[in-house]
Amino acid sequence: MTDSIMSKAATMEIPINSNGDTGTLPEDDSLEQAAQIHWRLDEKDLQQVMVSGPNLNETSIVSGGYGGAAEGIIPTSSIKGPSMHHSGSGSLAGAEDASRGVAVEKFDIVKKWGLNTYKCTKQMISERFGRGSRTVDLELEAQIEVLRDTKRKYENVLRLARALTNHFYSMVQTQHALGDTFADLSQKSPELRDEFGYNAETQKLLCRNGETLLGAINFFVSSINTLVNKTMEDTLMTIKMYENARLEFDAYRADLEELNMGPRDAATLARIDTAQQQYQIHKEKYERLRGDVTIKLKFLDENKVKVMHKQLLLFHNAISAYFAGNQQQLEQTLKQFNIKLKPPGADKPSWLEEQ
């Protein structure tokens, strides 16, 4: 061990010129003398140095150079070069793999969507030009057409009922103003007090009955609106999904038929197997939606009859009672259908005036 230290000492004292060349080496005797002067250590001294020397795990690196400030000291025990490299590279590789997986997944989704759109567009064009066949359920198609025609007619009823409500509301407001004017003139015209008074009471009575009729008509309009724009519209949305499923089913059916008519090599057999699976998937979807449409059409027809029976009876009784001047029957009609109005004579404006 002493010999190795002496050789290190001799090596450390080799001078270097400015141009990087080594200087002239001294004789071996001078090297040995220098080593003996600086490194006279026996085995006990070496053991003491090895025991009391600094621990490599506790040494420090001074970032500011030799004699730098204490703030720049970084404990070497906190530096883990290889582990940091591996963890950083591992996290980077994991992030790249995740990004690549997301990109591949999105590409597959776009690819499937594009292929499905192409097949459906091809099928739709073939049907329009009479070259492709389509699956038709005659009974269901007839029921769907009846529903669409009924919706158009009910929308017309709804439009006319709303127009009637607006016109009648304007008339009631005019009667209300006319009654107030007659009452004012009755107080200011003694010679025509009775005549103006009679007309004022008549207009107020008509106005009160008109508000009652407006309550019935508004209830009728609200119920028809719910039936047309919610119940029927929900069924038509299911029908739209069913028609899209029918188009997809026919597109994949035509694709399978075209493949079955071609050659039967290994590549074609694999494509036929894939097309058969897609055909079965879309067939099940089509049949499921066809069943949903059949059930919804049945319940819609029952609900339509129930709702319209009630609303048409309300509309008839209210209109008849109003124009017959039967105030008691008009109020009884609203009670029969649980329609509540603000009591007359209230300080606050009625709900009709707030519309």
Side-chain angles (χ1 to χ4, degrees):
M1 184 178 296
T2 306
D3 293 337
S4 62
I5 294 176
M6 291 177 64
S7 62
K8 290 179 181 180
T11 304
M12 292 174 61
E13 293 185 3
I14 296 175
I16 304 298
N17 295 334
S18 60
N19 59 359
D21 297 332
T22 58
T24 304
L25 294 176
E27 298 293 333
D28 294 340
D29 295 337
S30 61
L31 290 174
E32 292 179 357
Q33 292 176 1
Q36 290 177 0
I37 294 173
H38 295 285
W39 302 96
R40 291 179 179 177
L41 298 174
D42 53 10
E43 293 181 0
K44 184 180 295 186
D45 295 333
L46 289 174
Q47 293 176 359
Q48 183 178 359
V49 170
M50 295 297 294
V51 172
S52 61
N55 189 357
L56 292 178
N57 294 329
E58 296 178 357
T59 57
S60 301
I61 298 175
V62 181
S63 61
Y66 180 78
E71 291 79 0
I73 298 176
I74 305 174
T76 57
S77 59
S78 63
I79 300 177
K80 298 180 181 179
S83 61
M84 291 176 62
H85 176 72
H86 289 303
S87 62
S89 62
S91 62
L92 182 60
E96 291 178 353
D97 292 340
S99 301
R100 189 179 300 109
V102 172
V104 171
E105 183 180 357
K106 290 183 177 180
F107 177 76
D108 291 339
I109 293 173
V110 173
K111 181 180 178 181
K112 291 179 181 178
W113 174 83
L115 182 61
N116 185 73
T117 303
Y118 166 74
K119 291 181 181 296
C120 293
T121 305
K122 180 181 177 182
Q123 175 66 22
M124 184 172 57
I125 294 175
S126 299
E127 291 177 3
R128 289 192 176 182
F129 285 95
R131 294 194 298 265
S133 60
R134 64 187 298 264
T135 304
V136 179
D137 189 332
L138 295 177
E139 183 180 357
L140 188 59
E141 293 291 335
Q143 293 177 2
I144 292 174
E145 188 59 32
V146 169
L147 172 60
R148 286 175 173 154
D149 184 63
T150 302
K151 186 174 184 291
R152 285 192 293 267
K153 293 178 179 178
Y154 277 39
E155 285 174 343
N156 190 37
V157 171
L158 181 61
R159 180 181 60 82
L160 294 174
R162 283 174 171 167
L164 176 63
T165 303
N166 293 331
H167 296 321
F168 197 77
Y169 175 74
S170 299
M171 188 184 75
V172 170
Q173 291 296 101
T174 304
Q175 288 175 337
H176 188 276
L178 188 59
D180 290 342
T181 303
F182 284 158
D184 183 63
L185 289 173
S186 175
Q187 298 294 329
K188 297 180 179 179
S189 302
E191 66 280 5
L192 297 173
R193 178 177 301 172
D194 294 337
E195 289 79 359
F196 278 125
Y198 295 150
N199 282 277
E201 291 297 328
T202 301
Q203 294 301 319
K204 288 181 179 179
L205 178 61
L206 290 174
C207 182
R208 184 163 59 249
N209 292 342
E211 289 186 352
T212 305
L213 178 60
L214 276 174
I217 297 177
N218 274 285
F219 186 78
F220 174 82
V221 169
S222 176
S223 300
I224 300 299
N225 180 67
T226 302
L227 178 63
V228 172
N229 293 321
K230 292 186 178 180
T231 310
M232 289 185 178
E233 190 64 29
D234 177 70
T235 305
L236 288 174
M237 288 295 296
T238 307
I239 291 173
K240 185 177 181 181
M241 294 170 59
Y242 156 75
E243 290 176 342
N244 292 334
R246 197 277 310 163
L247 183 64
E248 291 179 351
F249 166 67
D250 283 337
Y252 283 92
R253 176 182 55 79
D255 185 45
L256 180 61
E257 292 175 353
E258 183 179 354
L259 289 174
N260 285 326
M261 294 173 61
R264 293 302 184 96
D265 54 3
T268 306
L269 289 176
R271 292 177 60 189
I272 290 175
D273 184 60
T274 303
Q276 181 68 37
Q277 295 176 3
Q278 292 296 322
Y279 165 79
Q280 191 64 32
I281 291 173
H282 287 87
K283 180 181 179 182
E284 294 175 357
K285 180 181 178 182
Y286 164 72
E287 292 178 349
R288 184 180 69 253
L289 286 172
R290 182 176 61 180
D292 292 344
V293 170
T294 303
I295 293 174
K296 283 200 171 186
L297 285 173
K298 179 182 178 181
F299 283 110
L300 174 62
D301 188 64
E302 295 176 355
N303 187 37
K304 179 191 67 176
V305 172
K306 185 185 300 183
V307 169
M308 292 307 299
H309 174 77
K310 177 181 178 180
Q311 295 304 318
L312 291 173
L313 183 63
L314 164 67
F315 191 81
H316 173 268
N317 292 345
I319 292 289
S320 299
Y322 173 80
F323 285 99
N326 192 338
Q327 180 182 1
Q328 183 178 1
Q329 183 181 353
L330 182 60
E331 294 176 353
Q332 185 63 31
T333 300
L334 268 67
K335 291 180 181 179
Q336 179 183 353
F337 293 94
N338 297 320
I339 302 174
K340 296 181 180 180
L341 296 178
K342 196 174 185 63
D347 296 333
K348 294 183 179 179
S350 65
W351 60 275
L352 292 172
E353 298 175 353
E354 296 176 352
Q355 297 301 319

